Amino acid sequence: MTRFHLNIAVLCGAGLLSMLLTHWLGRQVFLEMPVSTDEGSYVFQAYAFRDGVVSRPYPPMGTMIRRPNDMLIMDREIGWTSRYPPGHALWLLPGTFWGSPRSMVTLASGLAVFGLGVAALFLGIPVLVVPVLALVSPFFLLMYGTLLSHTSGWVSVAVLLAAYIRMRQTGRSVYGAIAGLAWALLFLNRTYTAVLLALPFAVDSVVLLGMRRNRDECRRAAVFGGCALCGILGYLFYNWLVGGDPFTPTYLFYDATQTLGFGRRHLHGLPVDHSFVRGLQNAWTNLLTLDSWLTGVRFSLPLYLVLAGIGWSKRWSPLLLGGVLALIGGYVFFWFPGPRHIGPAYYFELMPFLLLLAGLGIKRCLSLLDTRSKMLAGGVPALVLLLLVTGSVRFLQGEMAYFNEELGSQARIAQTLAEAPENSLVFFQDIEYPPFGKITINEHGVDSDPLVMAMPHPDNVADILRFYPDRAAFLLSGCAVDRLLPVPAADGSLLRVREAVSMAHFTGENGKTGDIPVRRAVHGRHLAQYLAFGFRQHLPPGRFIARFYFEETVGAEGTRIDVATDLGRTILARAYQKESEVPHVHQLSFEIVGDDFILVEPRVFYGGDGTVSLRRITLQSAPCADA
């Protein structure tokens, strides 16, 4: 066995150890629960790909399937899909065939260590140095306990680095093709990160092309760039498949402010004003977080930078440092600092660059020690390794205890859902967002078992069950998350009542006709405007009657009643009042077609003439009214 084959065997062992550690963390610490809503979005899309679609149809009763996961798009035009690029969902796809997308992240952890170890070998770094730096990093280990896209992103970066370094060392274009395809996969996964990391590689290629100006260099640059272009073309094609516009990514369809730059942005509907100063503040906070998470010991980041200086390589260090700076500097221009509960997530893909820089420094230090004393060459690294492992273990103990406790409630809810009878429909209510919003539910769309949705108005339960006649309904309540409570079928009747004095209005005044409270408008005292509105109700498909109970309408020919939807832009039924000095009921019949609830609003508009006194408005299903 040659030394090269021995080194590869060692790296395979390191990769296997990484898989074992991260698998254990995923099961025992993270309880196989997601730590963010992003993970549910990736799993949802992976199952969609497995079923041969890029977007599931907008579900029947979609307004009632209120998605707790706000990283999904539910839109009538493009359907039900993830807001993220397809790369990580494609990586998780094989795991969906055996019901374990998480197993693909475990595999990624092994490939991450192996791939970066190969890149380190190409730089002459001792075989165990970089794998050890990765495996003692809490940032690395805990990230691979999650399903976040950074896990497969590291693999792409490791392959990109190894292949690009080898291409420059051997001159073989095949390595350029591998490097380009690795960047393409990164672009399909972590789009902004890929664009930022392309900068140092582009600069390196342009500089070499300018220095050499020969056919071979042009061929290598063309192969590298051409294969990288596949990722861009693939992404344009995916955007076209999902939304019909190749130049509108799903995350921009979700929110058009999700771009690099400054100005007004949105965070869950709330405005955020991003500026250069705010971006620098985010970067500083992320760097302080990275300093703690890198090895679990403070001042690790300065130590790694010192090692980078010690092992400075005129050929490779500028490229590697360029990757670190490009990512840090580039995300100054992005409004969101990224999640930090598993380390500064947006900086995870700079870790391969940073570890190789530190590896070059360690290589230099080991060489210096070896020339002075064999004992020092063996003892100093062992002592440093002991300190790193000790610091990492202490840090991990605190974080593991936190995640284990934090995710316990999620695990209980997930277990309850998993134990639901076959073909169930589960309504949830009174469950706080943090635990429930992160659980992966409805990953098969409306074919999910169980199908989970928010508890609707009691009058709507029967309407929903009519769309799912073969499903048994249960309630999951925040008061008892360990069991499902059967939901009795309703009789399907619908009656909604609103007193006029409690409705919104732009004109009139509250009063009484005898002992009956009314909303009254009088000519000469009140303007022509809405006397009653705001009684908005979600109604299912079917026939309905709106009843308007008037106590009097004297000289009020201009007063009209209607039933509107789409915030008043669409009128379902309309009529004008006739004069009457006695109490009477005016009714409007209307019909809702389709397969979804719509929001309707019965209204009364006072025309400015005469006197109008309104008592109440009711909404009722037509069959019940006819009975």
Side-chain angles (χ1 to χ4, degrees), residues 72-87:
L72 291 171
I73 296 170
M74 190 183 286
D75 181 81
R76 294 182 183 277
E77 293 183 8
I78 71 172
W80 197 1
T81 189
S82 170
R83 59 162 286 190
Y84 290 111

Side-chain angles (χ1 to χ4, degrees), residues 45 49 53-55 81-87 89-90 188 232-246 248-250:
Q45 198 66 5
F49 290 157
V53 296
V54 296
S55 179
T81 189
S82 170
R83 59 162 286 190
Y84 290 111
L90 288 171
L188 287 169
I232 298 175
L233 296 177
Y235 197 25
L236 294 176
F237 180 63
Y238 177 76
N239 295 335
W240 176 76
L241 286 177
V242 175
D245 182 0
T248 302
T250 47

Side-chain angles (χ1 to χ4, degrees), residues 184-206:
L185 291 175
L186 183 64
F187 185 80
L188 287 169
N189 179 5
R190 304 289 310 162
T191 306
Y192 288 154
T193 295
V195 171
L196 296 172
L197 291 182
L199 297 176
F201 291 96
V203 170
D204 188 75
S205 296
V206 169

Side-chain angles (χ1 to χ4, degrees), residues 344-362:
Y346 285 171
Y347 288 2
F348 191 66
E349 285 86 356
L350 67 75
M351 285 274 286
F353 295 86
L354 192 58
L355 295 190
L356 289 179
L357 283 169
L360 288 171
I362 293 173

Side-chain angles (χ1 to χ4, degrees), residues 523-576:
H523 173 68
R525 190 189 307 171
H526 300 115
L527 299 175
Q529 254 296 357
Y530 280 100
L531 181 66
F533 69 98
F535 178 27
R536 300 188 179 105
Q537 297 290 306
H538 279 104
L539 298 183
R543 294 171 53 242
F544 300 91
I545 294 174
R547 286 192 171 96
F548 300 79
Y549 291 77
F550 290 96
E551 290 301 308
E552 61 178 332
T553 52
V554 178
E557 291 80 2
T559 296
R560 68 172 186 263
I561 58 175
D562 62 30
V563 179
T565 186
D566 194 23
L567 296 179
R569 289 185 284 267
T570 302
I571 304 300
L572 300 176
R574 172 176 285 174
Y576 285 87

Side-chain angles (χ1 to χ4, degrees), residues 23-337:
H23 175 72
W24 181 84
L25 285 169
R27 287 181 64 87
Q28 301 301 320
V29 176
F30 291 97
L31 307 176
E32 297 192 331
M33 289 292 104
V35 299
S36 70
T37 53
D38 295 10
E39 294 161 84
S41 183
Y42 299 129
V43 172
F44 179 92
Q45 198 66 5
Y47 277 103
F49 290 157
R50 193 195 72 172
D51 295 339
V53 296
V54 296
S55 179
R56 297 189 185 277
Y58 185 86
M61 308 300 184
T63 52
M64 307 309 295
I65 304 180
R66 299 186 181 92
R67 59 197 194 288
N69 189 332
D70 56 9
M71 295 297 112
L72 291 171
I73 296 170
M74 190 183 286
D75 181 81
R76 294 182 183 277
E77 293 183 8
I78 71 172
W80 197 1
T81 189
S82 170
R83 59 162 286 190
Y84 290 111
H88 189 55
L90 288 171
W91 178 266
L92 299 178
L93 172 60
T96 63
F97 289 97
W98 53 83
S100 179
R102 184 172 291 273
S103 62
M104 295 305 297
V105 172
T106 301
L107 175 63
S109 74
L111 294 177
V113 169
F114 179 84
L116 195 62
V118 170
L121 284 181
F122 292 156
L123 294 177
I125 299 171
V127 63
L128 281 176
V129 168
V130 169
V132 167
L133 292 179
L135 292 175
V136 299
S137 172
F139 194 11
F140 177 88
L141 292 173
L142 291 177
M143 179 64 79
Y144 276 100
T146 76
L147 290 171
L148 289 170
S149 61
H150 305 279
T151 54
S152 57
W154 175 304
V155 177
S156 296
V157 173
V159 175
L160 168 62
L161 283 166
Y164 187 84
I165 290 169
R166 199 59 178 165
M167 178 189 72
R168 292 306 180 192
Q169 290 175 336
T170 65
R172 296 180 61 184
S173 297
V174 64
Y175 292 113
I178 296 172
L181 291 174
W183 185 89
L185 291 175
L186 183 64
F187 185 80
L188 287 169
N189 179 5
R190 304 289 310 162
T191 306
Y192 288 154
T193 295
V195 171
L196 296 172
L197 291 182
L199 297 176
F201 291 96
V203 170
D204 188 75
S205 296
V206 169
V207 168
L208 289 176
L209 191 61
M211 292 172 57
R212 297 172 181 174
R213 298 184 181 180
N214 57 50
R215 183 177 300 175
D216 289 340
E217 192 60 42
C218 289
R219 184 184 69 252
R220 285 189 288 270
V223 169
F224 178 47
C227 289
L229 183 62
C230 292
I232 298 175
L233 296 177
Y235 197 25
L236 294 176
F237 180 63
Y238 177 76
N239 295 335
W240 176 76
L241 286 177
V242 175
D245 182 0
F247 299 103
T248 302
T250 47
Y251 58 84
L252 291 184
F253 181 91
Y254 176 88
D255 187 337
T257 69
Q258 302 287 307
T259 57
L260 296 175
F262 305 116
R264 180 61 58 93
R265 299 292 188 267
H266 300 135
L267 176 61
H268 304 304
L270 299 177
V272 174
D273 291 312
H274 186 53
S275 64
F276 184 67
V277 172
R278 184 176 180 274
L280 290 176
Q281 292 171 341
N282 289 341
W284 178 248
T285 303
N286 280 334
L287 286 172
L288 292 177
T289 307
L290 178 63
D291 181 50
S292 298
W293 281 74
L294 195 55
T295 65
V297 179
R298 293 295 303 273
F299 306 113
S300 297
L301 183 56
L303 174 62
Y304 275 44
L305 294 177
V306 169
L307 288 172
I310 293 173
W312 187 263
S313 164
K314 185 178 179 181
R315 175 64 190 92
W316 298 115
S317 292
L319 173 68
L320 298 174
L321 185 60
V324 173
L325 296 179
L327 214 54
I328 294 172
Y331 271 103
V332 168
F333 295 87
F334 192 62
W335 67 275
F336 188 53

